[in-house]
Amino acid sequence: MNIRTTSLAIAIASALIGCTPDNSEQAMNGASDSSVAANAFAEQAAVGAEKFAANCAACHGINLEGSTLGPLLSGRPFMQRWGQRNPSLLFNNIKANMPPGGNEGLSDDDYLAIAAHILSVNGVDTVTTALDPSTDFTIADNASAIASLRNRNEPPAPEGVTVAGNVDDFVPFTPVTDAMLESPDPADWPMIRRSYDAHSYSPLDQIDTSNVANLRLEWVWNMHEGDSEPSPLVYKGIIYLINPGNVIQAIDGKTGELIWENWAGPANRQDMRNIAIYNDKIIQATTDARLVALDARTGKQVWETMVADNSQGFENSSGPIVADGKVILGLAGCARYIKDDCYISAHDANTGELVWRFNTIAKANEPGGDTWGELDDIFRAGGETWITGSYDPELKLTYWGTAQQKPWVPVSRHLTIQDEGLFTNSTVAVNTDDGTLNWHFQHVPAEALDLDEVFERVLVNRGDEKLVFSLGKYGILWKSDRVSGEFKGYKETVFQNAFTDIDPVTGRVTYREDIQNAKLNEWTSACPSSAGGKDWHSMTYHEPSGLMIAPLSQTCLENAAREVALVQGGGGLAASRKFFEMPGTDGNLGKIGAYNVDTMEEVWSYQQRASFHTGTMSTAGDLVFVGDLDRRFKALDVNTGEVVWETRLGTSVQGHPVSFAIDGKQYIAVTSAVGGTSPRTVPDVIATEITYPRWGNALYVFSLPED
């Protein structure tokens, strides 16, 4: 392995030790009597405090205050996420996912005690009976107001419009039509990735390779703190910005002045990647699985509807796309063994009323249902659609990627590598009129390593060919006919050793034999890691050059399956993981790769130590913009990959760059941000020498100086 040194490999492979059980005598004996003798919640929580300190505090903080390796587990953010759920769901979530490095030393009683400790710290004070795996009371109903105030004295979060204003005072608002979305004004960026085809490409060319070196900061806007991976919208010079905690702001793109702000709640510091604009409304999916429409002029709420039951664990982290008058969005939080499964849904853009749903998990009596072995419907989980899809107005098809089966490893889900589990880890082409499936292509059947294919689908026309491209965590660029779904080709963009074969005619993958036969608690090594390949950071299609340019990640993992019982309310992710550098990369975690869409060959690549944490955005000025963990925002020459400009922001650069124009002047905007899952935690574990402020979410806007 071409990794820097053997000692580094050992250090990296065990770098998550702070998040794994402490095997010292003190940790083993400090609360060695795992079973709680007395049937009392308080005694159980006391045992849980010691177990938490030994096994969880290094990541989540001794006082549950959170860190870059683990989220906050106390106060309002915790209660907003978990308050309407039950202890059984919390217990199963912790057991299935934590600690990431392995849970061999923890019993069910230990996990129940840790759950009791977390609830106790968060003010649950009306419970006397110890928790068991089926405890189903509503958490918030058992935390008195006095205990909540004693635990964390905070004012209530705002609701609704908190800053009043009207866009019409800056520029007269013109309603957004279907035709305007199908062919956006070059000056606008009216949806995630700018256009229905998801090119992440701006036709503006005022800023180009000859003058980009003169790019300067125009203004900065500090955002709300929390996890953040935003994609701003820009329409008629007004920026609509989604902040952590479901806060939307309208900002004057020329001056950076705030026009209005709306808090839809919950104010939980969680991430939402994008919003949509249609007619006279800003349409927002919330982290607790609601859909909200705001007046684009004033920010006042127009309508609201529930997409899924958040108390069952359903949520959103990416917003909708509006197609032919319908708000279409996916769903996350589908790893549990419950009656309802994941779906893509469409809602009337004027009212929020449900129009159709497409279920991504095939039931036993439905087409594809026989791909789940003998599992009862309730034990079929996964298939999340947590990245916004794309749309072909001519074909009336919307294209979405789906996530893998849950739990992550076949043996944990009581299946084999032959049980493909439709329609997971697939591209699905869904009719926008009625929600019926037109075609599907399953990229990695029976996925076994938490390397899903859920990300953006990029629609490309080459002559008479109508194509769809995708790139997931395995780092494989897939090419298919978007009319029929026929497989057209693939390209490995980073080193992968999970598959021994990819059929060049069918695209069928074959796992290594040890991955196929992986048993419980058996460590299996594979590349790439769960940070990708490629993750949520969108690639860009630069049509003038015919290049697909992707932000890539180069790390590997060791994975071990955990046991999961087939019980209602169970499920989860259920794997332990360790991470290390990818062989042959000289320690470069970040890569930008450019690929010819006709030949699928790599034209150029740019590699560096720091991982990339924005999507790539290309322009008609032959530039591609991207940002990284080390606070650098840079422009590369589209044709060569040469860095032609860079600057450094206040913290890590994260989100989706956009470009827009006001009064004929072109601007480039990008966000700095913190938070996230594997794409953030894996580089933090491996590249420990890269430091950055742990706060500093902001929107930066750049332009050329006036003549």
Side-chain angles (χ1 to χ4, degrees):
M1 294 175 64
N2 184 17
I3 304 179
R4 292 180 175 180
T5 65
T6 303
S7 61
L8 176 61
I10 294 171
I12 291 169
S14 60
L16 288 177
I17 192 68
C19 304
T20 60
D22 183 346
N23 292 320
S24 67
E25 183 177 354
Q26 179 181 1
M28 295 298 292
N29 297 331
S32 59
D33 185 11
S34 299
S35 59
V36 179
N39 188 22
F41 176 78
E43 292 187 30
Q44 188 181 43
V47 172
E50 296 187 50
K51 292 292 181 181
F52 185 93
N55 298 285
C56 314
C59 288
H60 296 282
I62 191 65
N63 296 314
L64 287 68
E65 70 271 21
S67 75
T68 56
L69 294 177
L72 177 77
L73 295 177
S74 63
R76 180 174 292 109
F78 174 84
M79 291 302 288
Q80 285 171 330
R81 184 164 191 176
W82 285 97
Q84 297 307 309
R85 303 178 187 179
N86 60 50
S88 175
L89 191 62
L90 178 64
F91 158 73
N92 280 298
N93 182 279
I94 299 170
K95 178 183 175 182
N97 303 314
M98 296 292 137
N103 66 348
E104 294 85 352
L106 293 170
S107 67
D108 279 7
D109 283 342
D110 295 333
Y111 279 112
L112 287 166
I114 290 170
H117 168 61
I118 293 171
L119 296 182
S120 178
V121 170
N122 281 281
V124 172
D125 59 352
T126 66
V127 178
T128 57
T129 303
L131 305 182
D132 63 48
S134 61
T135 303
D136 65 355
F137 64 73
T138 300
I139 292 172
D141 291 347
N142 288 274
S144 71
I146 293 174
S148 295
L149 289 173
R150 183 175 66 246
N151 178 53
R152 190 171 287 263
N153 189 12
E154 297 176 346
E159 295 181 1
V161 174
T162 55
V163 176
N166 196 312
V167 165
D168 283 335
D169 294 336
F170 292 77
V171 58
F173 186 87
T174 302
V176 177
T177 65
D178 292 291
M180 293 163 70
L181 292 178
E182 289 179 23
S183 182
D185 187 310
D188 294 336
W189 196 282
M191 68 184 76
I192 186 171
R193 305 182 295 263
R194 190 180 176 272
S195 51
Y196 281 142
D197 50 24
H199 286 186
S200 296
Y201 168 78
S202 170
L204 299 174
D205 62 1
Q206 184 181 88
I207 302 169
D208 59 25
T209 54
S210 70
N211 59 25
V212 67
N214 298 321
L215 208 59
R216 68 176 189 185
L217 182 64
E218 188 78 27
W219 54 264
V220 182
W221 172 258
N222 279 4
M223 297 171 59
H224 290 262
E225 292 301 327
D227 291 358
S228 189
E229 301 166 357
S231 177
L233 301 187
V234 190
Y235 177 62
K236 303 296 183 186
I238 304 300
I239 299 173
Y240 296 94
L241 182 62
I242 180 71
N243 284 252
N246 304 286
V247 177
I248 294 180
Q249 297 166 332
I251 301 168
D252 179 24
K254 182 181 290 187
T255 66
E257 182 175 349
L258 179 65
I259 301 173
W260 58 255
E261 178 181 84
N262 181 288
W263 293 53
N268 52 17
R269 297 172 61 92
Q270 284 180 252
D271 181 34
M272 178 58 60
R273 293 182 179 88
N274 68 287
I275 51 181
I277 187 169
Y278 184 72
N279 198 349
D280 58 353
K281 301 175 184 66
I282 298 295
I283 301 172
Q284 166 189 12
T286 64
T287 56
D288 61 350
R290 291 174 294 128
L291 197 58
V292 177
L294 307 178
D295 186 310
R297 294 179 178 88
T298 65
K300 295 179 180 178
Q301 184 172 305
V302 178
W303 55 255
E304 176 181 350
T305 190
M306 187 177 78
V307 176
D309 185 356
N310 180 246
S311 70
Q312 296 298 305
F314 293 112
E315 56 191 16
N316 277 110
S317 60
S318 291
I321 188 172
V322 179
D324 197 24
K326 302 177 186 70
V327 183
I328 303 175
L329 75 162
L331 198 59
C334 313
R336 296 287 153 204
Y337 296 155
I338 58 176
K339 180 180 178 181
D340 294 328
D341 290 315
C342 251
Y343 46 79
I344 302 165
S345 60
H347 302 257
D348 186 292
N350 294 314
T351 65
E353 182 180 353
L354 179 67
V355 179
W356 54 255
R357 285 179 179 169
F358 170 74
N359 293 318
T360 59
I361 301 296
K363 303 288 188 182
N365 61 346
E366 297 174 347
D370 59 351
T371 62
W372 286 85
E374 300 299 320
L375 280 183
D376 292 340
D377 287 344
I378 199 167
F379 302 127
R380 304 177 180 202
E384 295 89 345
T385 45
W386 56 274
I387 292 292
T388 307
S390 49
Y391 173 55
D392 186 325
E394 181 182 348
L395 298 176
K396 298 289 186 182
L397 294 177
T398 184
Y399 301 84
W400 291 71
T402 62
Q404 73 279 68
Q405 295 163 289
K406 302 296 189 304
W408 282 333
V409 185
V411 66
S412 297
R413 50 187 185 253
H414 300 264
L415 294 173
T416 73
I417 205 71
Q418 307 304 321
D419 298 312
E420 299 176 348
L422 290 175
F423 295 94
T424 63
N425 241 32
S426 301
T427 296
V428 293
V430 178
N431 187 297
T432 55
D433 287 334
D434 57 14
T436 56
L437 180 66
N438 190 277
W439 60 260
H440 79 277
F441 178 79
Q442 192 171 38
H443 302 275
V444 184
E447 202 285 319
L449 295 166
D450 180 31
L451 303 182
D452 51 334
E453 300 283 340
V454 73
F455 310 107
E456 74 278 2
R457 267 49 186 170
V458 182
L459 313 184
V460 172
N461 296 332
R462 299 298 285 179
D464 294 332
E465 283 192 303
K466 296 180 182 295
L467 304 167
V468 54
F469 291 81
S470 65
L471 180 54
K473 288 188 179 182
Y474 283 96
I476 296 171
L477 179 63
W478 302 96
K479 177 180 180 179
S480 298
D481 185 292
R482 76 171 182 268
V483 179
S484 66
E486 179 187 1
F487 171 75
K488 290 289 187 178
Y490 75 95
K491 174 66 177 178
E492 296 181 30
T493 65
V494 298
F495 172 71
Q496 74 82 18
N497 62 5
F499 305 132
T500 58
D501 181 67
I502 304 176
D503 190 299
V505 177
T506 66
R508 182 78 179 185
V509 302
T510 302
Y511 272 118
R512 282 189 348 236
E513 189 172 344
D514 61 326
I515 297 175
Q516 294 185 41
N517 300 320
K519 297 178 174 57
L520 292 174
N521 302 313
E522 180 178 276
W523 288 100
T524 304
S525 176
C527 300
S529 80
S530 54
K534 197 187 80 67
D535 206 277
W536 58 264
H537 322 87
S538 301
M539 55 188 172
T540 179
Y541 175 57
H542 185 258
E543 187 170 10
S545 65
L547 293 180
M548 193 74 69
I549 306 166
L552 304 167
S553 179
Q554 300 184 131
T555 58
C556 304
L557 87 163
E558 291 184 64
N559 196 67
R562 300 180 182 181
E563 184 175 6
V564 177
L566 291 178
V567 295
Q568 186 168 349
L573 307 179
S576 305
R577 294 178 291 175
K578 303 174 185 177
F579 303 97
F580 56 94
E581 291 175 2
M582 182 175 285
T585 63
D586 291 328
N588 288 317
L589 307 187
K591 175 181 176 180
I592 304 296
Y595 303 89
N596 183 296
V597 296
D598 297 322
T599 67
M600 300 293 279
E601 293 304 311
E602 185 174 279
V603 176
W604 57 259
S605 72
Y606 172 83
Q607 299 187 49
Q608 62 177 42
R609 175 65 168 167
S611 51
F612 291 103
H613 288 270
T614 72
T616 46
M617 186 267 292
S618 62
T619 74
D622 284 343
L623 296 167
V624 57
F625 290 87
V626 68
D628 67 31
L629 184 69
D630 201 25
R631 304 189 289 122
R632 299 183 188 276
F633 183 47
K634 59 189 65 182
L636 287 71
D637 186 311
V638 159
N639 297 299
T640 66
E642 178 189 0
V643 175
V644 290
W645 171 84
E646 74 172 40
T647 190
R648 216 163 190 195
L649 307 187
T651 191
S652 48
V653 192
Q654 182 165 283
H656 299 79
V658 303
S659 185
F660 60 95
I662 303 174
D663 298 332
K665 181 176 182 177
Q666 183 181 359
Y667 297 84
I668 305 292
V670 71
T671 51
S672 63
V674 297
T677 52
S678 289
R680 289 296 295 234
T681 57
V682 176
D684 274 349
V685 164
I686 295 177
T688 56
E689 78 280 8
I690 296 177
T691 59
Y692 52 88
R694 307 296 173 164
W695 57 88
N697 293 349
L699 175 66
Y700 292 76
V701 176
F702 299 88
S703 68
L704 294 174
E706 300 290 346
D707 293 335

